[in-house]
Amino acid sequence: MQPSKQQSSNRSRFLRAETITALGILIGAIGFLFPTSKLPALPSLLPAAMLGGLIILSILMLLSDQRKASTGAEQEPVLKAPRRVFGAFGLIVAYAISVDLIGFYPSTAISLPLVAYVFGYRSPVGLLIATAIVLTAIYLIFGVAMSQEFPSGLLWSK
Amino acid sequence: MYTDLIQSLPNVIAWTNLAALVIGVLAGIVVGAMPGLSATMAISVLVPFTFGLEPLVALGLMAGIYNGAMYGGAIPAVLLRIPGTPAAVATTFDGYPLAQRGEGGYALQVAVVSSAIGGVASAFALMLLAPPLSRVTLLFGPAEVFWVAVFGLCSIIFLLGGNIVKGLISACFGVFVSVIGSDPIFGNDRFTFDQLELLDGIHIVILLVGLYALPPVIDLLESPLKTDGGASEHLGTQPIWRTLPRMKGYWKTWLRSSLIGIWIGILPGAGGSMAAFMSYNEARRASKNPEEWGKGEGEGVAASETANNADTASALIPALTLGIPGTAVAAIMLGGLLIHGLQPGPMLFRNNPDIVFGFMWQFLFGAILLVFLGGSLATNSFAKLLKLPRPLLGSVIIILMLIGVYSIHGRMFDVYLMLGFGAIGYVMDKLKFPLPPVVLGLILGGFAEENLRLALRIGRGDWAVLFQNTTSLILVALTLAVITGPMIKKRLLKAKASNGKA
C-alpha cells in the first residue's frame, strides 16, 4: 500500500535540516549536563548556564521550525551538491588520517593532485607541476627556513 | 595621550615590518580577487603561521591582508560581476557595466583610489578615537569588565540582525567551548574526558581555522565556478595619474562614504557589505543623475569601495579598547593578538603601546600602499588570477590549514579537532547561524568568567557587587538597550506599516 501524502509530509516534517539540528543541539546539551553536575558550584556555573541556554534555545528553534512546517513552508535544500560536499569532507579527513599514518610529505604528494583531480582539474602536467612546486615550497619554507617538523607516519615508526 | 602614537612610528618603519605590510597587501589583493576566498578566511589561515614572528610583523601581515582583500574583491566584481568578497556586491552594480563598455581599467582605478581613501580615513578614526576610549576603560574593575563582556556578546547577537535564536545558540556554543579545560581558579577539569590535550583548553586558532577556513574550502570544491572572463581582455587601462582628474567630482562621495564606513565598522556585528550598500544608496540619493546609476556610473564604484574599506580599521576601535570586535575579521584579529600574548582591552594600551599604536600606523600605511600596489598591478596581472583552477586552489588551502593547525602544538589531535569544528562550522554556515558570536563567545567567555568570579570574591560571594557602581549600571542599561532596541524598532516599523495600510 502506498503511504498517503499526509503520512509522508508528517514524516518529512521531522527530517527538516533545522529540526534535526535543533534535536542534535538538545541531545548534545543534555548529554553534557551529566559531567557538569559532578563539578563544584562555581566552576559549573558558566557551563551549566550555557547548556541550559542551549536546551531552551534548541527547543525554541525546534518549535519555530515545526510551526513553519505546519504551514507547509518548503525548506530550501541545504546542500547544492551533497555528493561533492561529503566527498570533499571525506577526502580532507582521509588526508589528515594518512598524514598521521604514512607521514606528511607522502600524504601531501598523493592528496594534492588527487583532490584537485577528483574535483575537476584534469590536466596531468598542471597537477604534476603544482604538486612539485607546493611540496618544494613547503619543504623550503617550513622544513628548512622554519625548522618545522611534520608527522613522519605512525606506520613507519612502528 | 597621542605621544605613544608618535613614539611607535620608528618601529613601524623598520624594513621587516614594512616588508610584512607589502606582502600582506599583495596577498590580500590576490585573496580578495579570488571568488570564494575572503579576508576572514585568509587571516584565519595565516594566524597560526605568525606564532614565530615578531608581533608587529604578524600584525602588519594581517592589516595588509585586510586592506588588500577589501579592494581585491572589486576585481572580479568589476570584470565578471562576481563579487570576490561579500563586501564587493555593491561594486558590481556599476563596475560591471563599466567593464562591459571597455572601461574596466577605469573602474578598477576608481576602486583602488576609493579603497585607499576609505582605508586612510578609517585608520585616522582608529588613531583618534581608540586612545581616549582606552583611558576611560582603564578605570574598569572586574565587575565592569564582566559587564563589558556581556555587552559585547549581546551587541553582536542583537545588532547582527537575522535570527536571534540562532545568534544566541552560536554565542552559547562559543562560551561553552571557552570553558573546556582546567577551571582558571580552582583547577577542576571541565569536559576534558581524560584527554591531556584538552587540559589547556581549546586554542582559539583551531576554532578559527575550523569555522572560517574549512567551510569556504568545501564551497570552493562544491561548486566548480567558471571564472574565465571575457571582460578582462579589454580593460582600457590608463596610468592612474591620468584618470585622477576624472574622479575629482567624487570628493563628496568619498567623504560621505568614509563616514558611513567608519560608523558601520564601529557598530558590533555590522560589516563591510552593509557599509557598502548603505553608502551606495546614500550616494545615489544625493546624485544629480540617479537614473544613470546601475548603468556604469564610476561614482557608484567609488561609494561602495570607499565604505567597505572605511570599516576596516574602525572595526578595531571597540576590539582594541573593549575586546569587542566590530566585524568577523576583527574577531579573528583579536585571536591573532591573543596568540602573541596581547589581551585586547584597556591594558593593551598601557602594557604594549608600541605594538597597539604600531598596528594603527600599519593600517594607515596599508591603505596608502593600496594605490601603489593595487594601482599599478590591478590591471591585467590581477585579472589573470581569476583563471586559476579552483580545485587546485582548494587542495593547497587544505594543506596550509593542516600545517598551520599542526604547528601550534605539533600534534595531530588539534588537526582532528579543527576538522570537527570545520564540520560544525559548515553546518552552521549552511543553516545561517552567525559565526562571529562563536568566536566572540570563545574570547569573551573565559574573560567574563574570570572577572565574574574575581568580582564575586571581592564581594565575598554577594552578587550585588555586580550592580554596586554607576559604570556597572550604565553598562547594564546599555546591554538592555541593545537587547530591546531592535525589538522596539521592529514593533514600531510594524505599527507604521499597518497604519500606512489603514
Side-chain angles (χ1 to χ4, degrees), chain A residues 18 21 36 40 43 57 61 78-81 84-85 89 92 96 100 108 112 116 119 121 138 142 148-149 151, chain B residues 49 166 168-169 175 186 188 190-191 214 218 221-222 389 391 395 399 406-407 412 416 419 426 430-431 433:
Chain A
E18 294 225 348
T21 309
T36 312
L57 291 164
M61 188 177 155
V78 177
L79 304 176
K80 277 184 270 175
R84 290 182 77 91
V85 171
F89 200 74
I92 296 170
D100 222 355
T108 306
L112 190 141
F119 286 93
Y121 182 61
I138 290 172
F142 299 103
Q148 170 72 53
E149 282 185 20
Chain B
F49 296 112
K166 286 182 179 173
L168 284 167
I169 289 177
V175 176
F186 293 145
N188 301 84
R190 297 189 291 192
F191 314 107
L214 196 65
I218 294 179
L221 298 172
E222 184 188 4
S395 316
I399 295 164
Y406 177 82
S407 61
M412 284 302 289
Y416 296 122
L419 292 178
Y426 187 79
K430 291 292 156 188
L431 292 177
F433 281 87

Side-chain angles (χ1 to χ4, degrees), chain A residues 35-45, chain B residues 183 186 188-190 453:
Chain A
T36 312
S37 63
K38 290 174 188 152
L39 290 168
L42 275 176
S44 69
L45 180 70
Chain B
D183 170 65
F186 293 145
N188 301 84
D189 291 355
R190 297 189 291 192
R453 288 171 61 182

Side-chain angles (χ1 to χ4, degrees), chain B residues 106-245:
Chain B
Y106 172 66
L108 285 176
Q109 281 163 338
V110 171
V112 80
V113 172
S114 307
S115 296
I117 290 172
V120 168
S122 194
F124 276 124
L126 174 66
M127 287 172 166
L128 293 174
L129 299 178
L133 195 60
S134 74
R135 286 213 159 186
V136 176
T137 53
L138 266 177
L139 305 171
F140 289 2
E144 291 87 348
V145 174
F146 166 73
W147 284 118
V148 165
V150 174
F151 170 71
L153 266 177
C154 290
S155 55
I156 206 156
I157 296 161
F158 289 91
L159 295 179
L160 203 61
N163 191 322
I164 286 173
V165 171
K166 286 182 179 173
L168 284 167
I169 289 177
S170 295
C172 285
F173 173 62
V175 176
F176 182 73
V177 173
S178 80
V179 302
I180 294 173
S182 279
D183 170 65
I185 303 208
F186 293 145
N188 301 84
D189 291 355
R190 297 189 291 192
F191 314 107
T192 56
F193 305 105
D194 298 326
Q195 295 290 322
L196 289 177
E197 292 91 341
L198 288 175
L199 273 182
D200 286 337
I202 289 173
H203 201 286
I204 186 159
V205 173
I206 299 171
L207 182 93
L208 289 177
V209 176
L211 286 186
Y212 282 103
L214 196 65
V217 168
I218 294 179
D219 278 341
L220 215 60
L221 298 172
E222 184 188 4
S223 41
L225 185 75
K226 293 238 184 299
T227 51
D228 291 344
S232 59
E233 314 298 331
H234 316 286
L235 288 175
T237 313
Q238 283 187 323
I240 208 157
W241 55 267
R242 248 192 236 171
T243 48
L244 274 175

Side-chain angles (χ1 to χ4, degrees), chain B residues 446-469:
Chain B
F447 194 48
E449 185 186 28
E450 219 173 301
N451 282 285
L452 169 68
R453 288 171 61 182
L454 214 57
L456 286 175
R457 286 195 122 190
I458 293 167
R460 295 184 182 178
D462 184 3
W463 286 78
V465 74
L466 296 175
F467 306 93
Q468 263 171 359
N469 64 52

